[in-house]
Structures are given as C-alpha cells and as structure tokens.
Amino acid sequence: MEVEVRKLKIEDYEELKASMIEAYDGLGGVWRETTIAQLLTLFPDGQICITVDGRVVACALSIIVNYELFGDEHTYEEITDNYRFGTHDDSGDVLYGIEVFVHPEFRQLRLGRRLYDARKELCETINLKEIKVGGRIPNYHKHSDTLSPKEYIAKVKNKEIYDPVLSFQLANDFHVVKVLTNYLKGDKESKEYAVLLEWNNIYYSKKKNAMRDSIIRLGLVQWQMRQFSSLEDFYGQVEFFVDTLSAYQADFALFPEFFNSPLLAEFNHLDTREAMYELAKKTDQIRTKIAELAIAYNVNIIAGSMPVVEDGKLYNIAYLCHRDGKLSEYRKIHITPNESRYYGITGGDKIKAINTDCGKIGVLICYDVEFPELSRLLALEGMNILFVPYLTDTQNAYTRVRHCAMARAIENECYVAIAGCVGNLPGVNNMDIQFGQAAVFTPSDFAFPTNAVKAEATPNTEMTLIVDVDLTLLKELHNYGSVKTMKDRRTDLYEVRKIKVKN
C-alpha cells in the first residue's frame, strides 16, 4: 500500500467525487467540478488530497481570509461567500478550513491526521496567524434533548461522549473558541450548530511585510515634454523624479505613455512611422537603465510606455521594473486610429494581473481603460490598483480617459492611478501639444472621498503627485459596502471571460 499527501489537481475530480459520496452518505450533494476548479485557481496550495495506491481517498480544502472582517459570528455561507470564495484573500491572516473528509474504507489509516498536519505545515510556511474551522458536531442530535451545545462540548472534551469530528479536532491541538449557531444549513445531525475551533501558529511573525502592508504609497509623474540634447539628459530627468519619489518612500513610480517621445526630435526629418521605429531601437537601453534605477532607489517603476519592434511589428509596451530586479510588461491592446494611421502600431493580446511586493496590480495603457472588460478581468484576478499611463493631446481626449478611469475604480472596487504628459513639443511631428492631469481615483462609498478622487495634480503643470491608498478599505468595501458591485454581479446571466488565453 502506497500513501501520498499532495496538492489536489482538477484531474482528480472524479475520484474526489466518488470518495465524497461515500464519506457523506445521506448528507446531500457533493462539490461541483467548477467549484473545485475555482478553488484550485484561487489557492492551489490550500487544496490537499491523499491518495492510496494512486486513488484519491481523502481531501482537505481551505481558503485564506482576513478574519477581522468576519469575526467569531459567521455562517459557512458567509465565510465562503456562498461557495463563490470571494472571501479568499491572499494577504489575509487566517487559514480557514472549509472541508475535510476521508473515505470510510480508509479511516483506520488515520489519514485525517495527515491532512491536518499538512494544513499546519502550510500555515507555518506562508506565515499565517492561525487555522480556524467551523467544526460540525454530528453526534449532537443524539443528546440534544438533554444537553445544550455547551454541555455537549464539555462532555466531549472530558471524553465522556465521543464525537467523530470534535473529538478528532481536539486530539489535533485545536481548542474551542465558541459555539456557532445556524452555521451550516441542513445539518440536522448537528442541529445546525458548529464549534469554532482554532490552532495557533507559534512561529507566526508580525514582522512588517510589504505584501501584507495595507498602506501603499503611489508616486505619479506629470511629465513635461521638453527637448533633450542627449540620452543622458533624458536619463537625468527620469532619475530626478525617481530619486524624489524614493525620498518620499513611494512604493510605485508611474510615468506616462510614450514619455520618451522627446527623443524623436533627432528623427524629425523622417516619416512619422520611420521615426517611431528608430526610437524603438533605444527602448532596450532605456528599459535597462530604468530597471537599474528601480533597484537602486527601491521603487517599483512603471516606465510609462515605449515603442518596441518585434518580428517587424511595432508594439506599445509598458514595463514594470520591480525593485527586486524582476521585469513585467503589458502591451497596449486597443490601438487608436491615430496610432494605427501614423505609426502602424500592433495591438497586444495578453491581459493578466501582475504580482508585486505590494499585492496584485494591473496596467492598462490610455485607450485601453475605455474598454471595461479589460479591467474587470484584472479585478477578477485580484487586482487592487490599476495604473494607467496615458498620452492625450486635447482636453476632450483627456476627459475620456479620466471619466472611464473613474468608472473602472467604482465598478471594480479598486484604486486607479493615471499619469500623462503635459506641455508642448514643437520639434516632433504629431506630438505637438499635450493635455494632462495626473490623479488617483477611488470607489465611491463612505470610506472614500465623496467625489471619488483621492488626489489630483494641477492640470498642464510638471509635478509629482504622491498619494497613500489603503487596501484594507477595499476589503471592507467588498464585504460591507453600501453596494457590492463585484459580489452582486449576476453571473447566472452574464460573464466576462478571456476567449484567447495567452501565457
């Protein structure tokens, strides 16, 4: 006999289903494949199974929650978001067990203990404060006429009564917090009571961690278009802003779309398309320099966007230079008629939230923010902050970007930061005038400004905008807001999904 503890895979579903039917004989339905797939997408490390001779016979499912949002008075439906798991939060502090079962044929192997040991190891590995579970008390119905839940628990703790769930959990170093009422609808054996239990991680550290730090400082650069006599002069201006934002301990520095356009001046004798292709030859060097600045100044830099040529095609790419040396990119998907006509830019085909040391963010370039599907896909992947570098020549063009960005913040319960170029650039064809006003937008609810504008720069003036945003407010909004746009979506009627998946 070979026993293995490992991560659950979606290919295990049929065996998982068969074992669950046996484990919960008479208690109703089983977990649907789509639900298991969602859990594996949200938190693959938290879904653990045991195989015996290659057959799945036991399983433990869990999520991470920001427990203070729920407290010690909650139901199973509330903690799981009615089985949709919108409550899962990668930056939470508690591992919450939502399922453990063992096929009855294999219970003599003490597989449940192995599952709990695996959970404890996971809790320690990812530095969570504790494990909490709402444990059923399936033998309570045999004693409910004579014992209150409190009295029943006491007798189980004293080993006067055996309960297959509670006795097992107590033997695995869990301790009772309180009795939960109306916890699991339809649980007649437990009379819909449950016992809230917890296991404390003695290795838990409260050491500050940027991934779990709720206050994120954004630095936005409202970039003045100006002539540069050399590439070194351009670098000097970039470093000035990075240095300044670093001095204010910004976590992110956002530059505008095509902020390196002044370097087109030396190619002004060429056709506009040819000039942009020439500028693209400088992008690798510029990106490398900015990546060095990100490390040197300890700031995540969103390097606006720059032209890149690949296989003869011109792309508009925003690079995220992480302060730990990693590099991420986003290619503008929606190309404006002007970009297509004058430069022949090709649209990208990847949309994905980016993991940073401050949580998940999204990047969209200018025109992209006018298409709500993109930001919704990012929000569904856990994005908390959306960065939008833009380049607009007229005030009405800017207004489109601004108002759409504000809408994206409200409908996706996230922050949106926008930054663009300002001023005139007479020495470069098709880049003559710019209008811009950097800003940070918020959702619209009591915890946020009444106009949903966290801060904004003076229009058409070179400056920086430094803004703190609180991710905890987003979590509270998501769970307790006046309206809950992400939770209240009618996914039974419509959905937004990727058709073409790109890695």
Side-chain angles (χ1 to χ4, degrees):
M1 180 181 293
E2 182 177 347
V3 178
E4 180 186 10
V5 181
R6 62 167 172 82
K7 294 180 186 178
L8 186 68
K9 299 179 292 187
I10 194 61
E11 293 81 10
D12 297 321
Y13 179 72
E14 290 303 323
E15 291 183 357
L16 179 80
K17 178 180 177 181
S19 291
M20 180 173 279
I21 290 172
E22 294 296 325
Y24 286 119
D25 182 35
L27 285 182
V30 299
W31 291 77
R32 294 180 298 176
E33 185 173 6
T34 53
T35 304
I36 296 297
Q38 186 179 7
L39 278 170
L40 289 172
T41 299
L42 286 172
F43 185 30
D45 289 342
Q47 321 316 320
I48 303 165
C49 71
I50 296 180
T51 62
V52 175
D53 293 332
R55 172 188 170 193
V56 175
V57 299
C59 182
L61 309 176
S62 58
I63 56 177
I64 300 173
V65 297
N66 184 19
Y67 193 74
E68 66 178 11
L69 296 176
F70 304 95
D72 293 340
E73 295 283 351
H74 60 263
T75 66
Y76 189 79
E77 285 188 350
E78 289 171 344
I79 204 73
T80 63
D81 186 26
N82 196 22
Y83 300 89
R84 295 175 297 190
F85 312 114
T87 49
H88 174 76
D89 183 352
D90 286 329
S91 62
D93 58 354
V94 169
L95 185 69
Y96 198 99
I98 58 174
E99 177 68 272
V100 170
F101 72 85
V102 178
H103 191 295
E105 183 182 336
F106 299 90
R107 286 177 181 164
Q108 76 281 4
L109 298 177
R110 298 167 66 88
L111 300 183
R113 182 176 293 275
R114 293 193 186 212
L115 290 172
Y116 268 54
D117 287 345
R119 266 190 185 164
K120 292 172 184 177
E121 182 179 353
L122 175 64
C123 185
E124 292 172 353
T125 299
I126 59 179
N127 191 35
L128 296 179
K129 183 179 179 181
E130 58 199 4
I131 301 173
K132 275 192 163 66
V133 296
R136 300 175 59 245
I137 41 177
N139 277 359
Y140 178 61
H141 68 283
K142 299 177 182 179
H143 305 271
S144 59
D145 290 341
T146 58
L147 298 175
S148 68
K150 181 179 179 181
E151 292 169 332
Y152 177 81
I153 292 169
K155 288 186 175 292
V156 173
K157 291 173 71 174
N158 293 330
K159 299 184 179 180
E160 298 174 34
I161 295 175
Y162 173 77
D163 186 278
V165 176
L166 181 56
S167 297
F168 168 76
Q169 289 165 329
L170 293 173
N172 278 275
D173 300 322
F174 279 73
H175 62 271
V176 175
V177 178
K178 67 170 298 177
V179 175
L180 298 172
T181 59
N182 303 313
Y183 182 71
L184 182 61
K185 291 181 180 179
D187 185 2
K188 295 179 181 179
E189 290 183 334
S190 305
K191 297 293 183 178
E192 295 191 355
Y193 288 107
V195 182
L196 181 63
L197 300 115
E198 68 181 18
W199 175 85
N200 302 116
N201 174 15
I202 63 172
Y203 302 107
Y204 173 68
S205 171
K206 292 184 178 180
K207 184 177 179 181
K208 186 175 180 180
N209 184 327
M211 276 292 287
R212 302 177 185 279
D213 202 12
S214 67
I215 305 297
I216 308 300
R217 181 160 294 175
L218 312 181
L220 283 56
V221 178
Q222 192 152 286
W223 177 268
Q224 175 76 40
M225 290 293 207
R226 56 164 60 83
Q227 296 281 359
F228 294 103
S229 59
S230 68
L231 189 56
E232 291 304 315
D233 285 346
F234 170 77
Y235 289 155
Q237 189 66 19
V238 173
E239 186 167 4
F240 163 76
F241 283 113
V242 173
D243 185 11
T244 300
L245 295 175
S246 174
Y248 284 93
Q249 298 182 319
D251 294 295
F252 290 94
L254 173 64
F255 285 84
E257 179 184 23
F258 283 149
F259 72 111
N260 63 339
S261 294
L263 300 176
L264 283 166
E266 67 174 293
F267 310 117
N268 210 38
H269 60 287
L270 299 175
D271 173 81
T272 52
R273 182 175 299 199
E274 294 175 349
M276 191 61 78
Y277 272 75
E278 288 298 317
L279 179 62
K281 294 177 181 178
K282 299 180 183 289
T283 293
D284 280 350
Q285 182 181 348
I286 295 172
R287 183 190 61 223
T288 299
K289 176 64 176 179
I290 293 176
E292 292 172 356
L293 294 176
I295 296 171
Y297 288 96
N298 194 30
V299 181
N300 297 304
I301 302 175
I302 299 162
S305 78
M306 295 181 282
V308 175
V309 176
E310 287 185 3
D311 299 324
K313 294 181 179 180
L314 184 67
Y315 296 93
N316 184 355
I317 301 182
Y319 291 104
L320 170 56
C321 301
H322 298 253
R323 53 187 164 192
D324 64 0
K326 294 196 296 264
L327 183 70
S328 303
E329 68 170 49
Y330 169 75
R331 302 185 177 207
K332 189 173 185 178
I333 290 176
H334 297 93
I335 307 304
T336 66
N338 184 73
E339 289 174 303
S340 179
R341 180 169 61 250
Y342 288 101
Y343 305 119
I345 294 176
T346 299
D349 57 9
K350 299 180 182 69
I351 178 72
K352 185 176 179 61
I354 301 172
N355 286 312
T356 75
D357 59 1
C358 299
K360 288 187 177 181
I361 69 159
V363 178
L364 297 177
I365 300 175
C366 199
Y367 193 31
D368 283 333
V369 80
E370 298 178 33
F371 297 83
E373 298 88 349
L374 297 185
S375 53
R376 175 52 52 84
L377 288 169
L378 291 170
L380 292 174
E381 292 184 6
M383 170 195 70
N384 288 316
I385 307 171
L386 175 62
F387 293 93
V388 184
Y390 68 86
L391 177 66
T392 52
D393 53 354
T394 63
Q395 191 166 357
N396 56 354
Y398 167 75
T399 297
R400 290 194 298 268
V401 172
R402 178 187 176 93
H403 286 192
C404 289
M406 294 184 75
R408 304 297 85 87
I410 292 170
E411 67 199 15
N412 295 303
E413 299 175 349
C414 67
Y415 296 105
V416 179
I418 67 172
C421 297
V422 299
N424 306 317
L425 194 59
V428 176
N429 294 329
N430 205 42
M431 290 285 180
D432 319 71
I433 58 174
Q434 327 295 327
F435 184 94
Q437 183 180 21
V440 176
F441 305 122
T442 73
S444 183
D445 213 326
F446 297 116
F448 305 95
T450 54
N451 63 353
V453 179
K454 177 69 174 176
E456 55 189 347
T458 303
N460 273 9
T461 301
E462 184 170 59
M463 62 181 294
T464 58
L465 188 65
I466 301 172
V467 184
D468 283 350
V469 295
D470 189 346
L471 302 187
T472 300
L473 297 181
L474 299 182
K475 298 171 189 174
E476 293 174 353
L477 171 69
H478 184 69
N479 290 281
Y480 304 116
S482 300
V483 294
K484 304 167 188 171
T485 53
M486 291 298 291
K487 282 190 171 184
D488 291 339
R489 292 174 296 120
R490 287 291 303 276
T491 52
D492 58 321
L493 296 178
Y494 59 84
E495 63 178 349
V496 178
R497 61 184 176 87
K498 299 178 186 178
I499 295 175
K500 187 176 184 181
V501 178
K502 292 282 185 177
N503 293 325

